Amino acid sequence: MSVTAARGFTASGVSAGIKDSGAPDLALVVNRGPSYAAAAVFTSNRVQAAPVRWSRRVIGDGALAAVVLNSGGANACTGPAGEDDARAMAERTARALRVEAEQVAVCSTGLIGVPLPMDRVTAGIDAAAAELSEDGGEAAAIAIKTTDSVHKTAVASGSGPDSGPRSGSGPGPGPGWTVGGMAKGAGMLAPGLATMLVVLTTDADVSAPTLDSALRQAVRTTFDRVDSDGCMSTNDTVLLLASGASGVRPDPAEFAEAVHGVCLDLALRLVADAEGASKEIEVRVVGAASEQDAVTVGRSIARNNLLKCALHGEDPNWGRVLSAIGTTSAVFDPDRLDVSINGVRVCRDGAAGEPRDKVDLSGRAVTVTVDLRSGDASATIWTNDLTAAYVHENSAYSS
């Protein structure tokens, strides 16, 4: 049920003709209230798409009534005309829904530097508005795909102020409150955020400051720790909208846990669907002097192309892990480093440990665990292997 798992929301996805393939490419998510509280996190790339600039402005008052999203074109690096197009998308959506343009966030994804076919976009907005329904979440999730092979949704729910959240891709809402979400992303996956568009919804009665706190906490340890290929996008956007339709005001910590659960679910789906990937790699760094050290080491390992190639070839080359650690400023003693790959400690005290032929890399899941033996902090980074399919996908992307 995606973004319509939470009560008070409708959604739709249509084919507007933005993509030459005729695939769905325009989506609407609409908050029917009674609350319109919202929060957002955007890319930290200094080159930002026109939709990001527009949405940054309108989220300033902590309220949104709708989100319009398109795939097939990023509307990034398109100059003043692109700014006008982002505004026009908001205005056309506002007119169709009878709300103010400043209540509409805009998200776009696709090729950079190419203007949107605005006649098709605006007609698509009208068509999407006519198809809005409480069952439209899946259609919306499909419409925002670019190189994604699958659409990505997740749901978590709680029964009341004292209940713990239950996360996953289903079932739908119960008598309490729900958080639903959809995401797109399969390439340019790196912080801040990852290359993605994410819309989260909830029917909990939650204020904008509480939404903002929960969202930023969740993003910091989920989307911000997905590092597929080290490339940061111009369009990354994560939105969280609250309708308050359940009438339930959950405990803030439990609500934050539910938001985190949905974000983590979606983040891992991004990694699983990364362009050309044949391995999903979890890099766990423990024993760090600080969380920042753990993140820095984990990210260095996740971005090591030699290691990513080795793991694709099912070679547990732990020397490449140590080489990646050594490029960082983290606190560690090179002669006290331990590395395990899929549970086999192949490196002990900075030297060879158990025989590498004990490591089974035949499956899709790979876990690389590094113990810096310098403290109690830890962090996890998620990445994938580097394959010929990834190179092919990105060598032909704009042709």
Side-chain angles (χ1 to χ4, degrees):
M1 293 176 65
S2 184
V3 292
T4 52
R7 284 160 287 189
F9 290 92
T10 56
S12 61
V14 301
S15 299
I18 304 169
K19 295 177 180 175
D20 292 336
S21 66
D25 51 20
L26 191 138
L28 289 180
V29 179
V30 180
N31 184 352
R32 300 297 188 183
S35 173
Y36 298 92
V41 179
F42 300 97
T43 182
S44 58
N45 196 321
R46 292 173 60 195
V47 177
Q48 297 183 357
V52 170
R53 295 179 183 177
W54 169 267
S55 297
R56 278 188 185 278
R57 289 195 294 271
V58 300
I59 197 65
D61 63 355
L64 288 175
V67 186
V68 55
L69 312 94
N70 76 271
S71 57
N75 193 12
C77 307
T78 46
E83 302 283 344
D84 292 342
D85 289 346
R87 175 182 288 275
M89 289 177 67
E91 290 175 344
R92 188 63 166 246
T93 302
R95 189 178 313 133
L97 301 177
R98 298 182 181 179
V99 299
E100 298 296 323
E102 288 70 22
Q103 296 177 292
V104 180
V106 179
C107 299
S108 298
T109 182
L111 191 62
I112 292 172
V114 178
L116 291 173
M118 287 304 293
D119 55 338
R120 299 180 182 181
V121 170
T122 52
I125 290 172
D126 292 343
E131 293 190 18
L132 287 166
S133 77
E134 294 179 355
D135 298 320
E138 294 294 324
I142 292 169
I144 62 175
K145 292 166 51 182
T146 50
T147 59
D148 307 63
S149 66
V150 296
H151 62 286
K152 304 164 181 74
T153 65
V155 177
S157 60
S159 298
D162 298 322
S163 68
R166 303 181 300 277
S167 62
S169 56
W177 51 272
T178 297
V179 178
M182 68 179 186
K184 66 77 50 182
M188 289 184 75
L189 295 175
L193 297 185
T195 279
M196 61 189 171
L197 302 181
V198 179
V199 179
L200 307 172
T201 59
T202 183
D203 51 19
D205 182 9
V206 183
S207 68
T210 300
L211 290 175
D212 186 74
S213 175
L215 183 62
R216 292 183 184 279
Q217 288 179 49
V219 165
R220 187 181 70 82
T221 56
T222 58
F223 296 123
D224 266 350
R225 295 191 182 173
V226 168
D227 204 324
S228 173
D229 51 19
C231 299
M232 185 192 302
S233 175
T234 56
N235 291 59
D236 301 333
T237 301
V238 183
L239 299 168
L240 174 55
L241 287 65
S243 69
S246 71
V248 178
R249 184 169 296 177
D251 174 79
E254 291 174 352
F255 177 73
E257 183 182 351
V259 173
H260 181 275
V262 171
C263 288
L264 180 58
D265 191 331
L266 292 173
L268 295 180
R269 291 171 190 268
L270 297 180
V271 173
D273 193 34
E275 292 167 347
S278 68
K279 306 289 184 186
E280 298 163 34
I281 305 167
E282 182 176 23
V283 181
R284 300 175 183 169
V285 181
V286 301
S290 66
E291 183 181 6
Q292 185 56 51
D293 271 8
V295 170
T296 299
V297 168
R299 207 174 300 291
S300 181
I301 295 168
R303 291 183 176 182
N304 188 289
N305 285 337
L306 288 175
L307 176 65
K308 289 155 74 77
C309 288
L311 294 177
H312 172 61
E314 300 183 0
D315 174 12
N317 193 332
W318 57 266
R320 293 176 178 177
V321 178
L322 262 62
S323 294
I325 298 170
T327 66
T328 73
S329 59
V331 176
F332 65 87
D333 180 344
D335 295 325
R336 285 173 52 82
L337 295 173
D338 294 342
V339 177
S340 298
I341 300 178
N342 279 359
V344 179
R345 188 172 296 186
V346 288
C347 172
R348 187 188 302 270
D349 292 329
E354 297 182 58
R356 66 176 66 195
D357 59 11
K358 289 186 176 182
V359 180
D360 182 5
L361 291 174
S362 60
R364 189 173 176 92
V366 178
T367 301
V368 177
T369 304
V370 172
D371 191 345
L372 299 180
R373 296 167 66 181
S374 298
D376 299 322
S378 63
T380 300
I381 304 293
W382 294 277
T383 189
N384 51 268
D385 57 341
L386 183 58
T387 70
Y390 173 85
V391 175
H392 174 74
E393 180 87 43
N394 287 281
S395 66
Y397 183 69
S398 63
S399 60

